[in-house]
Amino acid sequence: MRKNTKLVVEVVDAQNLMPRDGEGSASPFVEVDFLNQLSRTRTIPKTLHPVWNQTLSFDYDQTRDYSHHSIQVSVYHERRPVPGRSFLGRVRVSCSNFVKKGEEVYQRFPLEKKWLFSSAKGEIGLKLYVSPQEPDQSTKENTPLDIKTFSAVGSEAEDSEEDSFKDTASVEDEVLADFATESAKGEEDSEGRKEAVQALHKQEVLPQPATMHSIRLRSRVPTTRMHPHDTNLQSRDADRFYARDANLIHRDANHPPSGETDPEAYEVKDMSPELGERWPNPNAGGGWMNGRERFTTSHDLVEQMFYLYVRVVRAKDLPPGLMTGGCDPYVEVKLGNYKGRTKHFDRKATPEWNQVFAFSKERIQSSVLEVFVKGKETLGRDDYLGRVMFDLNEIPKRVPPDSPLAPQWYRLEDRRGEGKVRGEIMLAVWMGTQADEAFSEAWHADSASVYGEGVFNVRSKVYVSPKLWYLRVNIIEAQDVIPNDKNRLPDVFVKANVGTQTLKTKICPIKTINPLWNEDLVFVVAEPFEEQLLITIEDNVHPSKDEVLGKISLPMNIFEKRLDHRPVQSRWFNLEKYGFGALEPDRRKELKFSSRIHLRVCLEGGYHVMDESTMYISDTRPTARQLWKQPVGILEVGILGAKGLLPMKVKDGRGSTDAYCVAKYGQKWVRTRTILDTLSPRWNEQYTWEVYDPCTVITLGVFDNCHLGSSQTGNGASRDARIGKVRIRLSTLEAHKIYTHSFPLLVLQPHGLKKTGEVQISIRFTTLSLANIVYIYSHSLLPKMHYLHPFTINQVDSLRYQAMNIVATRLGRAEPPLRKEIVEYMLDVDSHLWSMRRSKANFFRIMSLLSGSISVGNWLRDVCNWRNPVTSILVHVLFLILVMYPELILPTMLLYMFFIGLWNFRTRPRYPPHMDTKLSWAEAIGPDELDEEFDTFPTSRSPDLVRMRYDRLRSVAGRIQTVVGDIATQGERIQSLLSWRDPRATSLFILFCLSGSVILYATPFRVVALVGGLYYLRHPKFRSKLPCVPSNFFKRLPTRSDSLL
């Protein structure tokens, strides 16, 4: 890392500052404090709207972790002629929001108070970024300060309000106190378990990442360092367990009972695997841990799996072949019946392979490991150059976080092992677990039948979704639009195209050569920007014919990135003439079209680009990293395995499944390795995500790999088959608790509902701060731009579909690719289409909610009818008491709900939610409705006329279905207040009920009614466009929508 790396703060301007000079103005300057480095700008005299445009730079060590520190930007008024200064406001910016040079954007920050009794108002505009070198200071000055210079300003450098409360405090004391506070906070934050969060995004996708800390709150032992890549564990008697259940389910799948369904087959089942057991402990005397000496690791949610690793590095001084006289060497590693070989090199006596082979300990059939060096021959048998043998009993064990085992040079032996021959090979052989760094990239013996491109398709990988932006194009007007036919005025509209996305404005209502539209067109684009914005002006000559009058192509990097709702400066662009024809190519360069178009274009960084439904969204952060908050927790998921999977294809005359699992949360996608030819695969891989909002959902899907490079598994056009998926809402999980369950995999097929197996998952949600969780529950679910400038319903659906296509395309270009059918299934691409089954399910969700109100109405009718005289008398007495003492109404209701919440705590859900077949109406659906649900869109079941009507009906019904689902969602959120489905939300609500009952009991009811009425009737000036706290809390409550198939 270069030593001249700088943190650059560009102080641009400020607005609406507090007047301080007694004449309604101020002479402001800015002082920036970054870890005891002080620097200030020049003073702008007599203005409340100063413009500095000045750059301040600070030393920045990129090897340090600054995520818990912040930079303080303070604005002061310089008093004259008496030396001194007055406080105008300050801003604290978290260091975690810094970006690299070139990614910085202009941001406005509201000024905050320094003390309780100080005053501040206005905003300051800044740009913050990390530059690899010192910025150019030729035009922008930088005035550094130190503590002595700062304190020399005088003891009068305080606010006018602060002087009345702190007469004896000097500026130096304030600064030293601030430094001490920052240092103390830094020391406190650096302690504890929060270190695990800081380096996840930097480490999770690197080929050989650095070590990291994990969080395990169950253990009293300090955290150990292990490799962050995903690892696994395995129990000793799991073979019998898996084989027994696989045989049973496979037998049942081949011979299902007619007209009979086991309800327990669709339920979540509890498990008791040996998670984190018998992991090797380097600090224990015997090398292994017992139950009391268990050492906390990053892989305590999976079972243990042992592997024999062989790293073939290189060879030297190899002899030439007998037949060709040259040396085309390769290495063959043999263990029992398993053989693995490296690639061969042509005519190279010192080859370098650097390849790792992994053999499962459970499948070891020999006590001797043999490593052969051979020379490839085109004719006849390959030449034998030598071998090295290892006794498995003498192979060392390696336990992360130990450093990798150093390879050694070994002399080659002859065939009989009686003597040494010419040549040496560098090898490293050790016994390890799936926690080893070499696990993910190793050649595995159980995948020996895979060849070609299929070798890459069976490995576990981590993917990151592309960074998505909303591109807002405001088409304002155009000038001098001359039609091809000079005898008529044009009917002009604008068409904008980005990649495969095309939008157009309405035709200008007035026929003129200077049309005006002022319409917004919104697109989805992804970094790195590959497409350009193509703008064309077209003339609607005929209802079926449009003529292009001019065009322009604009790259994305010229557009401004906007983080808030401030207006963006518009620009005029000259259009080029279009349509000269292929016979006159030279005239395109000679003639320029004189018309121009007025545009306002920006990249929206304040929105979250949604590629999945908000009902089971996994990430709510805005696009711009500068607006991200600190993570509130860590999600750890152990993908143990599956059992009872159904055969998905035929191989060698029998059913087979090559299963792998995909998990998606936030921007991170993970894919386990493919386990070949088994109905009960065991992955035992563990993954970790940062959690920025607990009211999000993780999705896990199981698929059959059809791209293994063999003819039986299909060709390049094959699609990986869906086996099933599971969605788990994080807010329904108790913090720091490990959930280990077997979830049923359910798939709705054209012939009905089918259980395709079970997936076994262990999951733990660790919260880092209870205060942050409470803070999150009181704020809006999406970034504020979604509420200040919301999109229409049609725009949201269209943009989501475009975002899904972009994500699928980019992930499909990875190596190995995460294919389009996988991404679409995980993101529920067809969830908006019409389905009679879903409509019935949503209708009965509403009916189940209304059943409670109907029961209360029937009870009140019975009371009025004196069906039970005792009950009627008691109700009348209670009514009289509440009328005479109205202050008891709300406390009684809140206290009643508090006790209901406590009573329901006994019956709170013990398992995470899962796909509910009864709620989804998947068992009672008829064949005709299934045929309709699996019909294509547009339909292919009828002639043209019927197809048109049918499609129109489905479109309207899809809207109705969405509205009905939203109504059901609101009602279920009310139910979840006291059901302990979300333990944090229920705890907060019942505590609010208890405190509210006490406060309202002590406050006169008339006062409460007066305050409530005044608040409800308050002036629009005192209203905010953002949702209120109760609305934010309510929208974060869990619903059963994530349990719908």
Side-chain angles (χ1 to χ4, degrees):
M1 184 59 65
R2 290 177 289 185
K3 296 182 180 180
N4 59 345
T5 301
K6 297 292 182 179
L7 170 63
V8 180
V9 180
E10 291 189 17
V11 184
V12 183
D13 60 359
Q15 297 288 333
N16 302 322
L17 297 180
M18 180 75 69
R20 285 294 192 185
D21 60 356
E23 300 177 359
S25 185
S27 299
F29 68 92
V30 176
E31 182 180 87
V32 182
D33 176 10
F34 176 64
L35 300 181
N36 299 353
Q37 303 179 61
L38 299 179
S39 186
R40 58 162 289 180
T41 66
R42 64 183 182 274
T43 301
I44 307 296
K46 297 295 182 179
T47 179
L48 298 180
H49 310 282
V51 177
W52 290 283
N53 283 327
Q54 189 168 346
T55 298
L56 309 179
S57 60
F58 304 89
D59 293 333
Y60 187 84
D61 185 2
Q62 291 194 355
T63 61
R64 290 185 55 186
D65 182 12
Y66 293 102
S67 57
H68 292 295
H69 299 281
S70 61
I71 183 170
Q72 179 172 307
V73 181
S74 302
V75 184
Y76 293 96
H77 159 67
E78 185 172 351
R79 293 202 294 251
R80 294 176 181 175
V82 180
R85 63 181 183 176
S86 298
F87 179 76
L88 298 180
R90 70 174 181 181
V91 172
R92 289 181 181 269
V93 182
S94 175
C95 295
S96 61
N97 295 335
F98 295 161
V99 296
K100 297 179 181 178
K101 184 177 181 181
E103 299 180 1
E104 72 277 5
V105 294
Y106 175 77
Q107 293 180 264
R108 283 191 176 275
F109 299 90
L111 296 176
E112 302 172 351
K113 298 180 180 180
K114 191 173 187 179
W115 306 101
L116 178 62
F117 299 101
S118 62
S119 59
K121 75 170 187 176
E123 295 179 330
I124 186 171
L126 303 173
K127 290 184 180 181
L128 300 97
Y129 57 92
V130 177
S131 175
Q133 58 186 357
E134 185 79 27
D136 186 10
Q137 302 292 338
S138 59
T139 59
K140 301 180 181 180
E141 58 182 309
N142 186 8
T143 308
L145 293 176
D146 55 14
I147 297 297
K148 296 180 180 180
T149 306
F150 183 46
S151 60
V153 175
S155 60
E156 299 177 355
E158 299 182 18
D159 305 344
S160 58
E161 282 107 318
E162 292 172 8
D163 292 339
S164 60
F165 297 97
K166 302 182 64 177
D167 296 330
T168 60
S170 65
V171 176
E172 180 175 308
D173 293 335
E174 289 182 31
V175 175
L176 294 178
D178 289 343
F179 290 163
T181 303
E182 290 295 313
S183 300
K185 290 181 179 179
E187 294 175 359
E188 292 175 2
D189 293 341
S190 62
E191 300 173 357
R193 305 179 180 88
K194 296 186 180 180
E195 295 181 358
V197 183
Q198 307 305 326
L200 284 179
H201 285 297
K202 298 179 181 179
Q203 296 175 345
E204 60 194 9
V205 296
L206 297 179
Q208 293 183 352
T211 57
M212 61 171 286
H213 286 292
S214 66
I215 293 182
R216 170 110 181 220
L217 300 182
R218 298 185 302 165
S219 175
R220 300 180 182 177
V221 193
T223 309
T224 186
R225 286 184 177 268
M226 299 195 72
H227 191 270
H229 264 191
D230 317 302
T231 56
N232 335 29
L233 291 164
Q234 189 161 342
S235 61
R236 294 163 293 183
D237 57 347
D239 283 339
R240 297 191 299 270
F241 176 74
Y242 284 118
R244 179 192 63 190
D245 290 342
N247 293 332
L248 290 176
I249 295 181
H250 186 56
R251 181 187 61 193
D252 294 340
N254 294 332
H255 306 283
S258 58
E260 198 174 302
T261 302
D262 184 10
E264 295 184 359
Y266 300 146
E267 297 294 331
V268 176
K269 300 176 183 178
D270 199 1
M271 296 175 55
S272 299
E274 298 180 7
L275 301 183
E277 299 284 348
R278 294 184 54 79
W279 277 93
N281 182 5
N283 298 332
W288 298 97
M289 297 174 295
N290 55 35
R292 298 181 180 179
E293 297 174 341
R294 186 181 306 169
F295 199 79
T296 304
T297 72
S298 294
H299 313 94
D300 56 348
L301 297 184
V302 289
E303 298 174 329
Q304 186 179 25
M305 300 176 69
F306 280 105
Y307 288 89
L308 173 65
Y309 291 98
V310 181
R311 181 183 294 275
V312 180
V313 184
R314 57 179 174 267
K316 66 179 181 180
D317 197 23
L318 296 178
L322 298 178
M323 299 181 61
T324 61
C327 184
D328 302 333
Y330 69 91
V331 175
E332 181 180 273
V333 181
K334 181 180 179 183
L335 181 63
N337 294 330
Y338 293 102
K339 293 182 181 180
R341 58 180 292 179
T342 66
K343 61 181 179 180
H344 78 279
F345 291 93
D346 296 330
R347 303 286 179 175
K348 193 171 185 180
T350 58
E352 183 172 348
W353 296 281
N354 198 23
Q355 187 171 345
V356 181
F357 298 84
F359 301 87
S360 176
K361 184 179 180 181
E362 297 179 350
R363 301 187 180 185
I364 291 179
Q365 304 170 349
S366 175
S367 60
V368 177
L369 171 68
E370 298 177 284
V371 180
F372 297 94
V373 181
K374 298 182 179 181
K376 187 174 181 60
E377 296 290 346
T378 56
L379 299 176
R381 298 180 60 183
D382 293 344
D383 290 338
Y384 175 89
L385 303 181
R387 72 172 182 178
V388 178
M389 298 182 62
F390 297 89
D391 186 355
L392 297 188
N393 296 323
E394 303 297 330
I395 291 178
K397 295 182 177 63
R398 177 184 176 256
V399 183
D402 292 349
S403 298
L405 192 67
Q408 301 181 26
W409 286 103
Y410 295 89
R411 289 286 302 275
L412 299 179
E413 302 175 349
D414 57 14
R415 290 181 181 271
R416 300 180 179 180
E418 297 177 352
K420 302 296 183 181
V421 296
R422 178 184 171 184
E424 295 181 74
I425 185 172
M426 178 179 284
L427 301 171
V429 183
W430 72 95
M431 186 69 71
T433 65
Q434 71 270 42
D436 203 289
E437 296 89 342
F439 175 80
S440 60
E441 298 296 331
W443 174 93
H444 288 267
D446 53 7
S447 303
S449 60
V450 181
Y451 60 89
E453 294 295 329
V455 175
F456 301 98
N457 290 327
V458 300
R459 294 175 177 173
S460 59
K461 289 294 180 182
V462 176
Y463 305 84
V464 178
S465 295
K467 187 177 183 180
L468 302 178
W469 294 79
Y470 284 138
L471 175 67
R472 187 186 296 272
V473 182
N474 180 224
I475 311 294
I476 303 176
E477 59 179 330
Q479 290 183 354
D480 301 328
V481 180
I482 308 300
N484 295 333
D485 184 2
K486 303 298 189 297
N487 298 323
R488 55 179 291 273
L489 292 175
D491 291 329
V492 184
F493 66 93
V494 176
K495 182 184 292 185
N497 176 268
V498 177
T500 59
Q501 308 173 62
T502 302
L503 297 175
K504 62 181 182 180
T505 66
K506 298 178 181 178
I507 297 177
C508 182
I510 302 176
K511 292 186 176 183
T512 176
I513 62 173
N514 298 317
L516 175 66
W517 296 280
N518 197 22
E519 292 187 30
D520 276 353
L521 306 179
V522 184
F523 302 88
V524 179
V525 295
E527 287 188 357
F529 301 123
E530 299 176 351
E531 299 88 3
Q532 291 190 342
L533 174 62
L534 177 62
I535 301 290
T536 59
I537 294 184
E538 302 186 12
D539 181 13
N540 184 237
V541 180
H542 189 270
S544 60
K545 180 181 179 181
D546 297 326
E547 291 183 354
V548 179
L549 303 181
K551 69 173 184 177
I552 186 173
S553 182
L554 303 173
M556 296 294 172
N557 54 13
I558 69 171
F559 302 138
E560 182 179 354
K561 297 178 179 178
R562 185 173 72 167
L563 305 187
D564 50 22
H565 58 280
R566 61 184 178 84
V568 178
Q569 185 177 3
S570 60
R571 297 172 59 183
W572 286 93
F573 296 93
N574 293 326
L575 297 174
E576 299 177 358
K577 184 64 177 176
Y578 178 80
F580 284 103
L583 299 178
E584 302 174 278
D586 296 335
R587 292 187 59 189
R588 292 179 180 270
K589 300 180 180 179
E590 296 174 0
L591 299 179
K592 296 293 183 179
F593 194 55
S594 61
S595 64
R596 60 178 185 166
I597 188 169
H598 194 193
L599 303 176
R600 181 181 288 111
V601 188
C602 67
L603 293 166
E604 298 281 8
Y607 290 90
H608 169 71
V609 181
M610 288 180 287
D611 56 355
E612 52 195 347
S613 173
T614 55
M615 295 301 174
Y616 28 86
I617 196 170
S618 63
D619 189 13
T620 60
R621 292 172 293 173
T623 299
R625 192 179 183 87
Q626 295 92 326
L627 301 179
W628 290 7
K629 305 297 183 182
Q630 290 293 328
V632 298
I634 293 178
L635 174 65
E636 299 166 280
V637 177
I639 305 175
L640 303 178
K643 65 176 183 178
L645 299 181
L646 296 183
M648 305 304 294
K649 55 179 174 285
V650 178
K651 182 186 298 184
D652 298 331
R654 58 182 179 84
S656 176
T657 298
D658 304 316
Y660 65 93
C661 183
V662 176
K664 194 267 182 187
Y665 182 77
Q667 297 180 351
K668 178 180 174 182
W669 299 65
V670 297
R671 169 178 172 165
T672 66
R673 60 194 179 97
T674 301
I675 307 299
L676 302 182
D677 198 14
T678 177
L679 302 180
S680 298
R682 290 176 293 170
W683 296 294
N684 284 306
E685 300 184 16
Q686 182 168 339
Y687 300 90
T688 306
W689 286 268
E690 290 177 336
V691 177
Y692 292 86
D693 194 321
C695 304
T696 46
V697 176
I698 181 174
T699 304
L700 301 99
V702 183
F703 303 89
D704 177 55
N705 198 333
C706 297
H707 300 83
L708 301 180
S710 60
S711 59
Q712 291 90 345
T713 58
N715 49 39
S718 301
R719 293 169 61 91
D720 290 352
R722 306 171 180 177
I723 300 179
K725 67 180 175 183
V726 175
R727 287 193 291 256
I728 300 176
R729 184 174 291 273
L730 270 59
S731 61
T732 62
L733 305 177
E734 297 182 16
H736 317 301
K737 177 181 177 181
I738 296 181
Y739 293 84
T740 307
H741 300 289
S742 181
F743 292 85
L745 296 173
L746 307 174
V747 175
L748 195 63
Q749 299 178 350
H751 53 271
L753 177 67
K754 195 167 188 178
K755 179 182 178 182
T756 55
E758 297 181 5
V759 60
Q760 298 165 337
I761 300 171
S762 59
I763 186 169
R764 175 174 59 201
F765 174 44
T766 304
T767 57
L768 302 180
S769 172
L770 179 61
N772 287 341
I773 294 294
V774 176
Y775 175 83
I776 287 293
Y777 269 88
S778 63
H779 281 67
S780 56
L781 180 65
L782 297 174
K784 64 179 182 180
M785 286 296 292
H786 287 270
Y787 306 99
L788 298 178
H789 292 277
F791 295 118
T792 63
I793 296 178
N794 291 335
Q795 280 182 316
V796 170
D797 292 339
S798 175
L799 292 174
R800 180 195 168 206
Y801 181 77
Q802 298 298 337
M804 286 190 295
N805 283 338
I806 292 176
V807 172
T809 302
R810 291 293 180 93
L811 294 181
R813 290 159 51 183
E815 184 62 39
L818 195 63
R819 304 187 184 276
K820 183 177 181 179
E821 63 268 20
I822 308 301
V823 177
E824 290 182 348
Y825 183 59
M826 297 290 288
L827 296 179
D828 240 352
V829 67
D830 56 352
S831 61
H832 64 288
L833 296 180
W834 161 257
S835 167
M836 179 64 74
R837 177 186 59 83
R838 288 197 185 103
S839 300
K840 286 183 177 180
N842 291 330
F843 173 77
F844 284 101
R845 286 168 65 193
I846 295 178
M847 294 304 299
S848 64
L849 294 173
L850 296 178
S851 62
S853 301
I854 295 174
S855 300
V856 173
N858 294 334
W859 178 78
L860 289 176
R861 186 174 64 252
D862 292 341
V863 170
C864 295
N865 294 331
W866 288 75
R867 294 287 183 92
N868 189 335
V870 177
T871 303
S872 298
I873 292 174
L874 291 177
V875 170
H876 281 76
V877 172
L878 177 62
F879 175 73
L880 293 175
I881 293 175
L882 294 179
V883 169
M884 296 176 62
Y885 303 97
E887 64 273 11
L888 295 179
I889 296 177
L890 291 180
T892 302
M893 294 176 60
L894 295 177
L895 191 62
Y896 177 67
M897 286 188 284
F898 171 77
F899 283 116
I900 289 179
L902 289 181
W903 181 263
N904 290 342
F905 180 77
R906 302 176 301 106
T907 58
R908 67 190 185 278
R910 306 289 181 175
Y911 296 162
H914 66 291
M915 300 297 179
D916 193 333
T917 57
K918 294 182 179 179
L919 179 69
S920 306
W921 271 74
E923 297 175 310
I925 187 172
D928 183 65
E929 295 174 356
L930 274 173
D931 180 72
E932 180 185 20
E933 182 167 346
F934 283 92
D935 190 11
T936 58
F937 191 88
T939 180
S940 57
R941 300 290 194 270
S942 56
D944 294 341
L945 180 61
V946 178
R947 181 183 301 124
M948 179 185 64
R949 296 175 179 175
Y950 185 54
D951 292 343
R952 182 174 56 193
L953 174 63
R954 294 178 71 185
S955 300
V956 175
R959 301 285 181 88
I960 299 176
Q961 166 190 309
T962 303
V963 173
V964 173
D966 291 341
I967 296 175
T969 296
Q970 307 309 319
E972 287 174 351
R973 283 172 175 162
I974 298 176
Q975 280 188 338
S976 64
L977 282 173
L978 301 174
S979 65
W980 291 94
R981 183 173 172 84
D982 183 346
R984 284 164 291 278
T986 303
S987 301
L988 290 174
F989 182 75
I990 63 175
L991 289 177
F992 168 78
C993 293
L994 179 61
S995 59
S997 63
V998 175
I999 295 174
L1000 293 177
Y1001 177 80
T1003 305
F1005 182 77
R1006 293 178 180 85
V1007 176
V1008 175
L1010 178 62
V1011 173
L1014 292 176
Y1015 177 79
Y1016 182 79
L1017 300 174
R1018 67 192 184 279
H1019 192 272
K1021 181 179 180 181
F1022 302 100
R1023 298 178 186 271
S1024 173
K1025 292 184 179 181
L1026 296 179
C1028 59
V1029 172
S1031 175
N1032 295 332
F1033 182 87
F1034 181 77
K1035 290 180 180 179
R1036 292 180 174 275
L1037 294 174
T1039 68
R1040 305 185 69 184
S1041 59
D1042 49 318
S1043 297
L1044 279 174
L1045 281 174

